[in-house]
């Protein structure tokens, strides 16, 4: 049982683990047809700073829409949940979650917060900030990958239950197969009656959606190209980063935004640490991210298939984002 005011950090993902994962992802992705890279490699220190800038852009409605919806709904979410432990996957700086923590604390149920992230340094910083803001709250950070390490999350407190928060529309970055496997994984670590609060971007005007991922200032383009800087630094690659242009488009059939990097000329790239040579033809594209947007009936179908019951849903007035409270059955 957690003691009020205690702080703990469990590290299940080391720098060596991250390096091995990067090597495996790059070797696989750059030899695939078409070429691809997972979006998690955007987020070194520079990439994380660029993403913070993206959240402040006028075109990037998802962040501010979810934050406003969360601010309007947190008291209702806390009352509907009644959980005593809030777990956040991919917590980062935990800024949006403070809205949840305040609401659960006001409801009188909150005893523990469990932030999970791949970055040990980000978690340590977040825990220090949270200790100052919530001196009586038990804090238990977990460094790990939410796609593989959920079984390492701490269990429920005696007589209590957990609510896992997965916000930011991040579920949309997973293709349907991995998305469904991830949700089944989440369900497997929850007891019946425990909950998942899932943030989902909704299908809206295509021009609005594309602009959110292709801003006029070019910040998202720089964020997209940052993955090449990461490969150059970490794996001794020699990408000519500026020779790749940013592409964002709406795939109406799959109902997702695709981000790609397009080669501006024929080139050959050496990845020294992998002893790998990769050719790019002029105009060839490297897929870096999808961001699926959903219809509410589609969300209901895939969460039910994973073993959850849709319990409550909150949607912003313009129907661009939804918060879904799901109960494990």
């Amino acid at each position: 049982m957690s003691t009020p005011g205690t702080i703990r950090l469990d590290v299940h993902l080391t720098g060596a683990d991250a390096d091995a994962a990067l090597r495996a992802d790059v070797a696989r992705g750059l030899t695939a047809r078409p070429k691809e890279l997972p979006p998690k490699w955007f987020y070194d220190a520079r990439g994380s700073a660029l993403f913070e800038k993206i959240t402040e852009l006028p075109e990037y409605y998802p962040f501010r829409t979810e934050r406003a919806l969360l601010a309007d709904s947190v008291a209702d979410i806390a009352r509907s949940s009644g959980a005593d432990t809030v777990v956040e996957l991919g917590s980062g700086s935990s800024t949006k979650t403070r809205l949840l923590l305040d609401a659960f604390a006001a409801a009188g149920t909150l005893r523990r917060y469990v932030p999970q992230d791949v970055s040990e340094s980000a978690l340590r910083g977040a825990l220090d900030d949270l200790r100052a803001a919530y001196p009586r709250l038990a804090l238990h950070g977990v460094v790990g990958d939410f796609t593989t390490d959920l079984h390492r999350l701490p269990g429920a407190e005696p007589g209590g239950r957990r609510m896992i928060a997965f916000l930011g529309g991040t579920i949309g970055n997973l293709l349907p197969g991995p998305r469904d496997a991830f949700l089944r994984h989440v369900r497997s670590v929850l007891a019946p009656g425990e909950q998942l609060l899932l943030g989902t971007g909704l299908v809206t005007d295509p021009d609005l959606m594309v602009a959110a991922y292709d801003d006029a200032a070019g910040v998202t383009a720089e964020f997209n190209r940052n993955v090449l800087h990461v490969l150059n630094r970490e794996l001794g690659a020699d990408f000519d980063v500026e020779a790749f242009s940013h592409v964002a488009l709406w795939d109406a059939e799959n109902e997702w935004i695709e981000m790609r990097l397009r080669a501006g000329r024929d080139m050959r790239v050496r990845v020294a640490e992998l002893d790998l040579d990769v050719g790019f033809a002029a105009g060839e594209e490297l897929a870096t991210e999808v961001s699926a947007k959903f219809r509410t009936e589609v969300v209901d179908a895939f969460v039910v298939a994973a073993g959850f019951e849709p319990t409550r849903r909150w949607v912003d007035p313009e129907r661009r984002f939804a918060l879904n409270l799901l109960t494990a059955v």
Side-chain angles (χ1 to χ4, degrees):
M1 181 173 178
S2 299
T3 303
T6 58
I7 186 168
R8 173 176 173 176
L9 181 65
D10 296 339
V11 179
H12 301 295
L13 184 69
T14 66
D17 296 327
D19 182 63
L22 175 63
R23 288 169 174 264
D25 285 346
V26 173
R28 180 175 55 250
L30 291 186
T31 56
R33 294 293 181 269
K35 297 180 178 70
E36 61 183 11
L37 289 172
K40 64 183 178 181
W41 302 116
F42 290 139
Y43 295 96
D44 63 350
R46 179 175 182 268
S48 296
L50 285 168
F51 184 73
E52 288 299 315
K53 289 185 178 179
I54 288 171
T55 65
E56 299 168 0
L57 294 170
E59 297 96 332
Y60 196 73
Y61 71 88
F63 181 86
R64 63 176 177 271
T65 301
E66 183 189 35
R67 184 179 177 86
L69 178 61
L70 195 58
D72 288 343
S73 309
V74 281
D76 202 14
I77 291 169
R79 285 191 298 267
S80 298
S81 170
D84 65 307
T85 294
V86 172
V87 180
E88 184 182 12
L89 306 183
S91 59
S93 60
S94 301
T95 51
K96 278 189 289 193
T97 310
R98 292 187 183 218
L99 296 168
L100 280 173
L101 298 183
D102 290 342
F104 275 80
T109 61
L110 187 65
R111 289 192 281 171
R112 180 176 55 162
Y113 173 53
V114 180
Q116 176 276 333
D117 200 82
V118 295
S119 171
E120 181 177 351
S121 60
L123 265 186
R124 288 190 184 279
L127 289 171
D128 287 344
D129 290 344
L130 290 165
R131 164 56 56 246
Y134 304 95
R136 297 294 297 162
L137 183 63
L139 300 171
H140 188 157
V142 179
V143 180
D145 185 334
F146 64 68
T147 63
T148 57
D149 295 332
L150 295 185
H151 63 288
R152 300 182 183 277
L153 294 172
E157 297 279 72
R161 67 173 184 266
R162 298 166 297 169
M163 185 192 79
I164 293 177
F166 192 48
L167 302 175
T170 308
I171 190 72
N173 296 142
L174 301 175
L175 293 171
R179 177 198 69 206
D180 295 342
F182 164 73
L183 288 170
R184 290 193 299 269
H185 186 31
V186 175
R187 174 61 190 87
S188 73
V189 302
L190 293 176
E194 292 190 313
Q195 297 154 327
L196 170 64
L197 181 67
L198 182 66
T200 52
L202 301 180
V203 175
T204 185
D205 175 61
D207 290 339
L208 181 75
M209 291 186 289
V210 170
Y213 296 85
D214 193 13
D215 61 278
V219 181
T220 310
E222 197 59 29
F223 173 71
N224 195 7
R225 283 190 290 264
N226 190 63
V227 71
L228 304 183
H229 287 293
V230 171
L231 270 55
N232 285 351
R233 183 184 67 246
E234 299 296 330
L235 298 178
D238 60 359
F239 281 96
D240 180 356
V241 176
E242 297 306 314
F244 287 83
S245 59
H246 169 67
V247 178
L249 56 86
W250 172 244
D251 182 330
E253 180 178 355
N254 290 303
E255 296 194 319
W256 61 46
I257 294 287
E258 290 187 10
M259 290 206 327
R260 307 170 183 172
L261 291 170
R262 179 180 293 154
R265 55 177 171 80
D266 292 346
M267 66 185 84
R268 193 150 194 87
V269 176
R270 175 72 176 165
V271 186
E273 293 295 318
L274 301 180
D275 193 22
L276 178 66
D277 292 293
V278 183
F280 285 85
E284 184 178 355
E285 293 178 341
L286 169 66
T288 54
E289 185 179 71
V290 300
S291 184
K293 308 305 176 186
F294 301 104
R295 301 179 190 275
T296 53
E297 62 270 21
V298 172
V299 174
D300 288 346
F302 66 64
V303 300
V304 167
F308 290 95
E309 177 185 356
T311 304
R312 292 285 305 276
R313 176 180 288 123
W314 297 264
V315 180
D316 74 285
E318 295 178 298
R319 300 196 63 81
R320 296 176 180 175
F321 206 93
L323 295 167
N324 309 271
L325 185 63
L326 314 170
T327 302
V329 294

